[in-house]
């Protein structure tokens, strides 16, 4: 099945700086890669996603890049703000067993924005 | 709010109890999911339902029993759980099996 590795597990950046979180996946047939943000006491919220037919997608301060050849994708947050502090999860949708229907998640990155 | 609600938000139960978790989505989606989130582990997919039919059971022990009476409701019936089953149980829904999943706030389960 699919295996997703996520790094780093904790990332501390100064307010206003950029943050980058990286993930690798194992199933070359995976075709959907969402990123979720989880705040304390809440469920994960989708912040951006990318499909395998594009290499980059941007939404205001958030961008995601995908390298299918290397099987890795990254989340980039620019001009970080205190409200960006949360745990971020990457995920991949595999294609096993005729199309695995759920998401395989990374272990998460605790992003801390220092004022 | 994501349009996915879960009740109860917190549950404490003994190992011999029987309880149920409930999930409801108000998004008109056809697919619903149960995930388990334990400390220091990735979210683990448990079950997938599409149009009320179970499409995936990710080797979950039989002490967890899902039920999907319609596309808007999903239950997780619990019996004779173990302390290691203590976790946050998250429900999600999506329009179909290829589109983005929306998560509920989760049920924090503690097994004594």
């Amino acid at each position: 099945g699919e295996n997703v590795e996520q790094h780093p597990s904790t990332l501390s950046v100064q307010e206003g700086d950029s943050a980058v979180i990286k993930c690798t996946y194992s199933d070359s047939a995976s075709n959907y890669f969402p990123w979720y943000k989880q705040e304390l006491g809440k469920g994960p919220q989708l912040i951006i996603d990318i499909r395998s037919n594009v290499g980059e997608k941007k939404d205001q301060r958030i961008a995601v890049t995908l390298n299918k050849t290397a099987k890795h994708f990254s989340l980039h947050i620019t001009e970080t703000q205190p409200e960006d502090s949360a745990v971020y999860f990457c995920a991949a949708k595999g294609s096993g067993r005729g199309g695995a229907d759920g998401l395989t998640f990374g272990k998460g990155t605790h992003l801390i924005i220092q004022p | 709010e994501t349009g996915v609600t879960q009740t109860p938000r917190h549950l404490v139960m003994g190992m011999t109890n029987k309880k149920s978790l409930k999930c409801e989505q108000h998004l008109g989606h056809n697919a619903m999911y149960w995930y388990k989130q334990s400390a220091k582990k990735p979210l683990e997919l448990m079950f997938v339902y599409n149009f009320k039919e179970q499409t995936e059971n990710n080797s979950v022990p039989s002490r967890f029993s899902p039920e999907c009476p319609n596309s808007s409701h999903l239950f997780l019936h619990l019996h004779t759980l173990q302390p290691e089953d203590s976790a946050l149980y998250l429900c999600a829904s999506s329009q179909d099996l290829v589109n983005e999943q929306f998560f509920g706030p989760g049920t924090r389960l503690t097994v004594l």
Side-chain angles (χ1 to χ4, degrees):
Chain A
E2 177 67 276
N3 183 50
V4 176
E5 299 285 338
Q6 182 172 348
H7 299 280
S9 56
T10 304
L11 177 60
S12 181
V13 301
Q14 288 295 125
E15 183 178 350
D17 287 352
S18 296
V20 180
I21 302 170
K22 299 183 178 182
C23 288
T24 60
Y25 61 98
S26 61
D27 185 350
S28 57
S30 288
N31 55 14
Y32 175 62
F33 307 92
W35 285 89
Y36 285 85
K37 174 183 180 182
Q38 187 173 24
E39 297 173 317
L40 202 60
K42 297 184 178 180
Q45 267 199 298
L46 180 73
I47 56 171
I48 195 167
D49 56 9
I50 191 167
R51 295 190 186 272
S52 57
N53 57 346
V54 298
E56 185 173 358
K57 185 176 177 180
K58 193 172 180 181
D59 183 3
Q60 299 182 355
R61 296 187 296 109
I62 295 172
V64 57
T65 58
L66 171 65
N67 183 327
K68 286 174 56 180
T69 304
K71 290 189 284 187
H72 67 71
F73 56 114
S74 301
L75 177 72
H76 305 252
I77 306 175
T78 58
E79 301 170 20
T80 52
Q81 300 168 4
E83 54 265 36
D84 294 330
S85 293
V87 180
Y88 291 80
F89 294 94
C90 64
K93 189 168 187 300
S95 62
R97 302 204 303 275
D101 299 326
L103 294 169
T104 301
F105 283 83
K107 287 188 176 181
T109 296
H110 186 191
L111 177 62
I112 302 165
I113 307 301
Q114 305 275 10
Chain B
E1 294 297 328
T2 61
V4 181
T5 58
Q6 290 186 244
T7 54
R9 294 292 310 275
H10 300 271
L11 177 63
V12 179
M13 60 187 287
M15 289 191 285
T16 57
N17 291 160
K18 287 185 181 181
K19 296 285 184 185
S20 296
L21 310 185
K22 179 183 176 183
C23 175
E24 184 174 0
Q25 58 96 359
H26 311 273
L27 301 168
H29 289 166
N30 299 313
M32 297 188 77
Y33 312 77
W34 280 116
Y35 287 88
K36 176 183 179 183
Q37 187 174 30
S38 306
K40 306 199 185 211
K41 291 176 75 174
L43 276 85
E44 300 169 71
L45 177 69
M46 299 176 73
F47 301 104
V48 182
Y49 278 82
N50 190 34
F51 288 98
K52 304 187 297 176
E53 298 296 322
Q54 188 179 126
T55 64
E56 195 162 337
N57 175 339
N58 213 21
S59 304
V60 180
S62 59
R63 57 186 184 270
F64 295 91
S65 174
E67 179 190 359
C68 189
N70 54 61
S71 292
S72 299
H73 294 86
L74 184 64
F75 295 89
L76 188 62
H77 303 299
L78 316 171
H79 63 98
T80 59
L81 294 192
Q82 306 297 313
E84 58 264 30
D85 296 322
S86 298
L88 182 69
Y89 287 85
L90 291 158
C91 173
S93 72
S94 62
Q95 177 58 42
D96 48 44
L97 294 174
V98 300
N99 283 311
E100 56 266 35
Q101 296 180 22
F102 295 85
F103 283 82
T107 295
R108 173 69 62 187
L109 173 68
T110 303
V111 182
L112 301 176

